[in-house]
Every structure is written in structure tokens, then in C-alpha cells.
Amino acid sequence: MIKKENILKILVLVILLTAIGFWADYLSGNDDFYKRALENRKKESYSGIVIEKYIDSSQHRTPMLKFTSSSNTAVVNSFWDEIEVGDSIVKVKGQPNIYLYKNNELVQVFNYNTYYQNLMAQKSKK
């Protein structure tokens, strides 16, 4: 005969595994996840001269930039690699682009729309 305690343990395990499954699916990078991430990036606004590049270990090893205005921002690895101390960055609220200037000359435009579309395309190939 199955004890009541064992049934309760099995029920708790099933509920826990189901919750973990839903949570893993949410974080797995589905299209909705990328769309939310893009909308969050579009809401950002910052500009300034980069005075420091660093990896923030307290934020899951996130590439960060520090500006002369003492503000900080996170950027994706591929763009972060292109930036040097002394460069200027401009990100306008509502737009998906970050503009990178070196010696007062526009040298690169990083587009978050393109970035997230590429991530979604890579995920769909798997």
C-alpha cells in the first residue's frame, strides 16, 4: 500500500519539475524573450565618452562601459569588443541603434533589431 507521505512527495516533485520546465522554456530564448529584450534596449538612453571597459562579475560577467558622466551601461559582447577607452557612444531612447564615434567620426552603428533577429534565426536552426 502506498503511504500518504510518498504520494505527497511525488506530487511535490511533479509540481516542481513542471515549474522548472516552464521556467527553463521562458529563459531559453524564445521569440517573445527576444522581443522583450529588444523593447527594453530601445527604452535605454545614454551617451558619453568611455572612460572604462570592464566585466561586471556581480552581473553574470556582463560587459560594461563607464562614461565620463559616471553612468554605466551594459552592451553585448560583439559590440563591446569594438569599443576603446576614449571613444564616444550615443544611444537615443526609442531607437535600436548605438552610434560609435572615434576621433569625432562615426565609425559604426550597432543595431539591436539586427542583433536580436540574428539570435532568433540561430535558435530556429537548432
Side-chain angles (χ1 to χ4, degrees):
M1 180 171 190
I2 300 176
K3 293 183 179 181
K4 204 174 196 180
E5 295 169 354
N6 290 339
I7 292 173
L8 184 60
K9 288 179 184 178
I10 291 171
L11 184 60
V12 168
L13 179 63
V14 168
I15 291 170
L16 183 61
L17 290 175
T18 302
I20 289 172
F22 280 113
W23 185 62
D25 182 57
Y26 176 78
L27 295 177
S28 68
N30 59 32
D31 289 355
D32 289 338
F33 172 81
Y34 291 124
K35 288 175 185 173
R36 283 191 310 272
L38 175 59
E39 290 308 311
N40 288 337
R41 290 296 190 165
K42 285 182 177 179
K43 291 176 185 176
E44 296 176 340
S45 174
Y46 48 86
S47 64
I49 298 171
V50 177
I51 60 171
E52 183 181 358
K53 289 175 56 174
Y54 63 97
I55 303 294
D56 190 345
S57 57
S58 68
Q59 294 293 324
H60 308 288
R61 304 202 38 80
T62 302
M64 300 289 291
L65 300 174
K66 183 174 183 176
F67 301 108
T68 50
S69 62
S70 297
S71 64
N72 299 339
T73 192
V75 293
V76 297
N77 292 4
S78 58
F79 185 61
W80 187 80
D81 291 339
E82 302 298 319
I83 300 168
E84 298 174 354
V85 171
D87 293 347
S88 297
I89 302 289
V90 176
K91 167 64 180 78
V92 178
K93 186 176 183 173
Q95 294 184 4
N97 299 326
I98 305 174
Y99 301 93
L100 172 62
Y101 295 87
K102 293 179 183 279
N103 299 319
N104 295 321
E105 185 176 322
L106 179 64
V107 294
Q108 185 175 356
V109 178
F110 180 83
N111 185 302
Y112 276 114
N113 279 332
T114 304
Y115 174 73
Y116 286 115
Q117 286 173 354
N118 289 339
L119 288 178
M120 286 188 284
Q122 288 174 4
K123 177 151 177 52
S124 66
K125 290 179 183 178
K126 292 181 179 179

